[in-house]
Amino acid sequence: MPGLVTILVGNNPASVSYVTGKQNTAHELNFYSLQDNQPEDITEQKLLEIINTYNKDPKIHGILVQLPLPRHIDEKKILNAIDPDKDVDGFHPINVGRLMIGGKEAKYLPCTPAGIQQLIVRSGVPVEGAEVVVVGRSNIVGKPIANILLQKAPGANATVTIAHTATKDLAGHCRRADILIVAAGVPGLVKPEWIKPGACVIDVGVNRVGEKISEKTGKKIAILRGDVDFDAAKEIAGFITPVPGGVGPMTITMLMANTVKAAKSAAGIE
Ligand code: NAP
C-alpha cells in the first residue's frame, strides 16, 4: 500500500488548503496517508528529527513538506534531509540533478511541472520542435518545466525560452510561443494580444485577489485569478487551462503518481 506523509508547519490558509487537497486524494485512493501538523514555532532540529523518523519508516514511501516554511527554518536544509528515494515532491538536489540529466536517470519529476507536461501531451498538443516560452524561473515550476520539455524524449524535445523580470520584450517572446507556460504569480500579466492564435496556454499562477462567500458551504473563500486573462485569452488560444481547476489538480495527481512509483520501487517491482 503506497504510504504518503504530508508535513505542515503552522497554519497558513493556502498551505492548509493545499495539504487538505493532497490528503483527501490520498484517502480516496486508499493510500496509507498521514497528515503531520507541527506548530509554527517548531525548531529546525525537531523538524529534521521528524523527517528522519519518516525516512526510516517502511510504511511511508513518500514525504512531502509543505512549503513555504517559517522564516526561522532553513528550507534547503529540510528538503536536503528527505531521503531522495522518498522525495515525491522532487525537490532534493539529487532528484533535481537527475531531472537535468534526463532519460532513465530522472526518478521523481516535481509534481507541478510533471502535471503540466501531462496536460500538454494528453491534449494532443505537439511538443517536439515546438517553440515553448516559460515565464518564470523558480526552482519549483519555471526551471523544471523548461528542463523537462527540452529533453530529447517523447513528449518533449522542444525549443525552450525562459523569461523573467530582466527579460526584454516579454510580449515579443510570448507571441512566438506555440506553448506558453506562465508561472510568474502576477495576476493578468499575460495580455490576450501576446498570445499566438491557436497556441497552448498553461496558466500556473494562483493569485488570491479577494474573498467571497461560497455558494456551496456559505463559508468565506479566496477569489483566485491566474497570470493570464482567461476570458479574453480563450478566444485566441487553441488550448488554455483555467484557474482554479487546471494545473492545481494535476499537481496533486502527479504527487500520487510519484508516491505509487516510490512504493513500487521500495517493493522492488520497478
Ligand atoms: P516565484 O518563485 O515567485 O517565481 C516567479 C517567477 O516569475 C520569477 O522567476 C520571476 O522573475 C518571474 N516574474 C515575476 N514577475 C514577472 C514579470 N512581470 N515579468 C516576467 N517575469 C516575472 O513563483 P513560483 O513559486 O514559481 O509560482 C508562480 C505562480 O504559480 C504563483 O502564483 C504560485 O502560486 C503558482 N503555483 C501554482 C502551483 C499549482 O499547483 N497550480 C504550484 C506552484 C506554484 P525573477 O526570477 O526575475 O524574479
Side-chain angles (χ1 to χ4, degrees):
M1 183 185 285
L4 173 70
V5 60
T6 48
I7 303 172
L8 175 66
V9 178
N11 52 9
N12 171 292
S15 296
V16 171
S17 120
Y18 292 144
V19 160
T20 308
K22 290 164 188 173
Q23 277 299 325
N24 287 347
T25 309
H27 280 297
E28 272 174 39
L29 295 174
N30 283 324
F31 283 14
Y32 171 68
S33 62
L34 284 181
Q35 171 56 38
D36 188 335
N37 291 320
Q38 294 296 331
E40 181 87 23
D41 61 356
I42 186 174
T43 63
E44 192 177 273
Q45 189 50 40
K46 178 76 186 142
L47 190 54
L48 288 169
E49 282 165 23
I50 290 170
I51 289 171
N52 200 28
T53 309
Y54 291 125
N55 278 343
K56 291 187 196 139
D57 184 343
K59 292 197 294 304
I60 296 293
H61 306 104
I63 302 170
L64 179 141
V65 179
Q66 186 64 45
L67 302 178
L69 290 170
R71 280 208 188 146
H72 67 278
I73 297 177
D74 181 348
E75 223 163 73
K76 242 193 236 168
K77 226 181 189 176
I78 298 301
L79 295 180
N80 291 1
I82 298 172
D83 178 347
D85 288 336
K86 296 192 177 188
D87 171 39
V88 285
D89 234 355
F91 294 153
H92 191 287
I94 288 189
N95 287 317
V96 175
R98 285 174 176 161
L99 159 58
M100 185 94 180
I101 294 165
K104 286 195 180 127
E105 286 288 332
K107 186 162 185 185
Y108 302 118
L109 300 184
C111 304
T112 300
I116 293 171
Q117 185 188 32
Q118 290 301 319
L119 277 170
I120 297 170
V121 170
R122 289 173 189 237
S123 301
V125 175
V127 186
E128 182 160 308
E131 285 278 349
V132 173
V133 174
V134 180
V135 183
R137 57 176 160 192
S138 72
N139 289 327
I140 61 169
V141 189
K143 283 183 202 162
I145 188 60
N147 255 319
I148 290 171
L149 296 182
L150 67 76
Q151 298 296 332
K152 196 163 188 171
N157 217 5
T159 303
V160 183
T161 303
I162 308 182
H164 43 75
T165 53
T167 297
K168 289 177 192 155
D169 190 17
L170 181 61
H173 283 289
C174 292
R175 279 194 197 101
R176 278 193 295 108
D178 302 312
I179 299 172
L180 177 60
I181 300 168
V182 194
V186 180
L189 172 68
V190 169
K191 312 291 173 243
E193 60 274 19
W194 296 7
I195 295 168
K196 181 172 170 178
C200 169
V201 180
I202 305 288
D203 189 354
V204 190
V206 179
N207 305 292
R208 288 166 187 256
V209 295
E211 283 183 335
K212 63 177 181 185
I213 302 295
S214 159
E215 282 175 21
K216 249 195 208 164
T217 61
K219 284 186 187 163
K220 247 193 218 171
I221 52 166
I223 302 173
L224 303 179
R225 290 272 180 281
D227 290 351
V228 180
D229 175 355
F230 180 83
D231 288 328
K234 77 178 195 303
E235 305 301 329
I236 302 162
F239 297 82
I240 185 165
T241 59
V243 177
V247 174
M250 284 306 293
T251 299
I252 297 182
T253 303
M254 298 318 292
L255 174 68
M256 302 303 138
N258 277 348
T259 306
V260 171
K261 194 172 191 182
K264 281 184 164 177
S265 161
I269 298 170
E270 223 165 62

